[in-house]
Amino acid sequence: MKMDEFISFCREGNPISGEDRHLHDLLVQCSFEAQKITMKLNSHFHSKDKITELFSELTGKKVDSSFMCFPPFHTDFGKNITVGKNVFFNTGCSFQDRGGIHIGDGSMIGMNVTICTLNHGLPLKTRNTTFSSPVVIGRNVWIGSSATILPGVTIGDNSIIAAGAVVTKDVPGDRVVAGVPAKEVKGINE
C-alpha cells in the first residue's frame, strides 16, 4: 500500500492491528512526518501566515488564511484534520486525528484541549488494535481549556464545552455541557 492509499484507508476508519507490520510502518511514517512539522511549528516564533502554511503542510489541505493557532500544537497523525474558516486554537492543544477531526467555521478551541479519535480493543485479543471514530465539531463551538473530547463525538453548532469537561457522547446544538463525564447544564439562551 502506498502512502496516499494508506491515508485514505485511515480516513475510511479502518482498524489497524499492531501485528500488521506494513500498516504499522506506514503509521509510524505519518507520525514522524507530523512530528517533524509540529516541531518546526513549535520551536520558533512564526507569523500568522507561516503558521497557516505549516498547518496546511501538516494536514495536506489548504487551510484558510483566517485560521489562528497559538503554538505549541501537537498531533500524532496530521493528515486527517479539517479546519473551517475563522477557527482558533489556543496554546497546548493535542489532537489524535487518525480517525478524523472536522472543526466547523468560527469554532474556538481553548488551551490544552485534547481531541481523541482512537481506542484500543478491550479483549486481550484486540488490545493491540486501534479502532477509530471521527470527531465532528460544528460551527461556532467554544471548547473551554483542558476539555477532552473522546472518539466518535459530534458537537452541534453554537454549543459550549466547559473547561475541564470530558465529552463522552454527542452534544446537541445550542447547549452548554460541563463535568466528568460532561452533562448538559443549560441552553445557550437560558
Side-chain angles (χ1 to χ4, degrees):
M1 182 180 299
K2 295 181 180 171
M3 185 55 75
D4 58 341
E5 295 170 319
F6 176 68
I7 291 170
S8 293
F9 177 85
C10 291
R11 286 186 177 145
E12 293 166 1
N14 293 296
I16 295 178
S17 169
E19 307 304 317
D20 188 325
R21 296 313 317 158
H22 180 63
L23 292 179
H24 184 266
D25 289 348
L26 289 167
L27 185 57
V28 168
Q29 187 178 339
C30 276
S31 184
F32 284 174
E33 176 69 16
Q35 287 178 44
K36 182 176 83 173
I37 297 166
T38 56
M39 287 188 80
K40 190 184 311 180
L41 173 69
N42 297 334
S43 66
H44 293 85
F45 173 80
H46 299 288
S47 68
K48 180 181 178 301
D49 291 341
K50 183 63 175 179
I51 290 171
T52 301
E53 178 186 316
L54 287 167
F55 214 84
S56 295
E57 181 183 352
L58 175 67
T59 62
K61 302 177 207 103
K62 174 86 170 107
V63 174
D64 191 78
S65 63
S66 62
F67 174 70
M68 175 71 89
C69 175
F70 290 164
F73 173 83
H74 304 280
T75 188
D76 67 338
F77 191 72
K79 300 299 183 203
N80 212 356
I81 302 170
T82 304
V83 178
K85 295 179 180 177
N86 298 306
V87 169
F88 171 70
F89 295 172
N90 210 330
T91 187
C93 290
S94 186
F95 290 7
Q96 182 191 56
D97 68 286
R98 194 182 90 214
I101 297 172
H102 176 84
I103 301 171
D105 295 347
S107 289
M108 301 181 298
I109 312 297
M111 289 176 31
N112 302 314
V113 167
T114 299
I115 301 177
C116 308
T117 67
L118 298 178
N119 212 337
H120 291 269
L122 293 178
L124 287 176
K125 181 179 174 183
T126 60
R127 184 100 25 106
N128 198 19
T129 300
T130 50
F131 299 89
S132 62
S133 300
V135 169
V136 178
I137 298 169
R139 294 184 329 266
N140 304 310
V141 170
W142 173 20
I143 300 177
S145 294
S146 299
T148 299
I149 314 301
L150 294 183
V153 167
T154 296
I155 300 172
D157 294 348
N158 309 313
S159 286
I160 297 172
I161 310 303
V166 177
V167 183
T168 61
K169 60 184 179 179
D170 291 354
V171 176
D174 300 302
R175 306 310 295 167
V176 178
V177 299
V180 179
K183 294 187 182 342
E184 189 173 312
V185 176
K186 63 181 181 173
I188 294 295
N189 297 315
E190 293 177 11

